[in-house]
Amino acid sequence: MSLYKPAPNALLRYASTATPGDHIDFKREAKIGEKVMRAHPERVSSESTVHPLTHEVATKDEEEDVDMMAGIKQDLKTIQNTFTLEEIPRNALYLGAAGVLPYLATSLSTVYLAWDLNHSATHGVGVLLDAQTALLGLQILEPLQIGYGAVIISFLGAIHWGMEWANYGPPQNPGHSFTRYKLGVVAPAIAWPTILMPVEYALISQFLAFIYLYFQDARASARGFAPPWYGTYRFMLTFVVGASLVVSLIGRGEIVEYTGHPSRPSDKLKALRESQMMYLEKEEEERQRRIAEEDEEGGSEDEEKEESSDEEE
């Protein structure tokens, strides 16, 4: 029996090492041989032998339509995804939008009063207000806008104190805690001295303060020390506030010839003191006039009494 063992071993070794192509499927070959080959002259061309392997024979690649606006659309989509407001809590969004309304109101009022003042100077009469009323309105808007800006800047600095006390963000370290406390102190230190500056200088200073605080807030949001949506939220509000301040500066620039150049704080205090002195002088004059009238009335009564006593005698 041992004489017959080499043959099965060789066949087994051949079957295990042979490639699939070594086995001929005679049935399939017979079917292919029965098919009739047909000529396709329309497929024959000068490029039929050099066509890409991944395409049909003798077919040209279809040219894709190039969208000329694809780049711009992609940029707009990126901006939309970057500044989406869906992640911002609704309460914060609504209250923040309401907080910029005073800026919009004062800025638009400043522009209108400046236009009305110029119209009054050109045509001799304003559209709704005369020149004196328009100037008075501008003087009322100045402290409102600057004072409100100082309050908001102080509030933006205080937010970092709240984040620190709430232990928001990655594990704290003494250096970053000091940075948060520093922002909470620097913000009001910059904001409140602006109420003593001339109007134009105060508006420019507050504009720069808002930009500085925005970059600090965006940096804190990117590093995880503020909510992820806080950077976008602050950008939206800072954009509206900055635009309002620029509009106010443009409006006031149109009426320099009527309001004069920016005055110093000492000039405002001097004007206030002079107005108080004038009021006191008028009050003193009025008091002296009343005393004189009372003396005259008293003297006339004495004369009447004397005349009546003489007649009785």
Side-chain angles (χ1 to χ4, degrees), residues 27-312:
K27 293 183 179 180
R28 182 175 177 79
E29 291 291 336
K31 290 181 180 180
I32 294 175
E34 294 175 356
K35 292 182 178 180
V36 180
M37 298 182 64
R38 295 182 176 83
H40 297 282
E42 68 277 2
R43 295 185 178 181
V44 180
S45 66
S46 59
E47 300 177 355
S48 60
T49 58
V50 295
H51 69 276
L53 296 177
T54 58
H55 293 73
E56 295 293 334
V57 178
T59 57
K60 296 183 179 180
D61 297 340
E62 296 182 0
E63 296 182 358
E64 298 181 357
D65 294 335
V66 179
D67 188 2
M68 302 301 294
M69 300 295 292
I72 298 177
K73 291 179 180 179
Q74 183 64 28
D75 294 339
L76 293 176
K77 186 176 181 180
T78 302
I79 295 173
Q80 182 180 2
N81 294 334
T82 302
F83 299 108
T84 181
L85 304 178
E86 296 178 355
E87 299 180 356
I88 302 177
R90 297 297 95 180
N91 292 335
L93 180 61
Y94 297 151
L95 292 176
V100 301
L101 291 180
Y103 271 108
L104 293 174
T106 53
S107 299
L108 295 177
S109 299
T110 299
V111 171
Y112 173 76
L113 291 175
W115 174 78
D116 206 350
L117 187 60
N118 287 325
H119 188 277
S120 178
T122 304
H123 300 85
V125 61
V127 178
L128 295 177
L129 306 172
D130 56 11
Q132 293 181 353
T133 306
L135 285 174
L136 179 61
L138 289 173
Q139 293 175 358
I140 294 174
L141 289 175
E142 290 176 7
L144 290 177
Q145 189 172 25
I146 296 174
Y148 185 74
V151 172
I152 296 300
I153 293 173
S154 302
F155 173 77
L156 293 176
I159 290 177
H160 291 275
W161 281 44
M163 295 288 185
E164 178 63 26
W165 291 345
N167 292 324
Y168 187 92
Q172 302 296 323
N173 56 76
H176 191 79
S177 297
F178 175 75
T179 301
R180 279 178 160 175
Y181 288 131
K182 180 179 66 177
L183 287 174
V185 174
V186 169
I190 296 175
W192 288 106
T194 58
I195 63 176
L196 299 177
M197 296 180 182
V199 182
E200 287 78 6
Y201 297 160
L203 295 177
I204 293 174
S205 299
Q206 291 188 0
F207 176 81
L208 297 177
F210 276 111
I211 298 299
Y212 169 74
L213 290 175
Y214 162 70
F215 280 110
Q216 293 295 329
D217 293 339
R219 183 180 180 186
S221 179
R223 293 187 175 185
F225 291 99
W229 50 266
Y230 190 60
T232 303
Y233 178 69
R234 286 282 290 108
F235 174 82
M236 179 192 68
L237 299 181
T238 303
F239 178 81
V240 177
V241 171
S244 300
L245 292 174
V246 171
V247 169
S248 296
L249 289 170
I250 294 174
R252 295 195 62 83
E254 298 295 329
I255 55 173
V256 173
E257 57 181 319
Y258 307 107
T259 60
H261 293 282
S263 58
R264 297 172 297 179
S266 59
D267 296 336
K268 291 185 176 181
L269 294 176
K270 184 178 179 181
L272 179 61
R273 184 175 58 184
E274 290 178 354
S275 62
Q276 290 177 346
M277 293 298 296
M278 292 177 61
Y279 176 77
L280 292 175
E281 291 177 357
K282 291 182 178 180
E283 187 177 5
E284 181 64 20
E285 291 178 357
E286 182 67 20
R287 189 177 67 85
Q288 294 293 338
R289 185 181 63 80
R290 291 179 180 177
I291 293 174
E293 291 179 354
E294 291 177 357
D295 293 341
E296 291 179 357
E297 292 178 357
S300 61
E301 290 177 358
D302 294 338
E303 292 179 356
E304 290 178 357
K305 289 180 180 180
E306 291 179 356
E307 290 178 358
S308 60
S309 59
D310 292 339
E311 291 177 357
E312 291 177 356

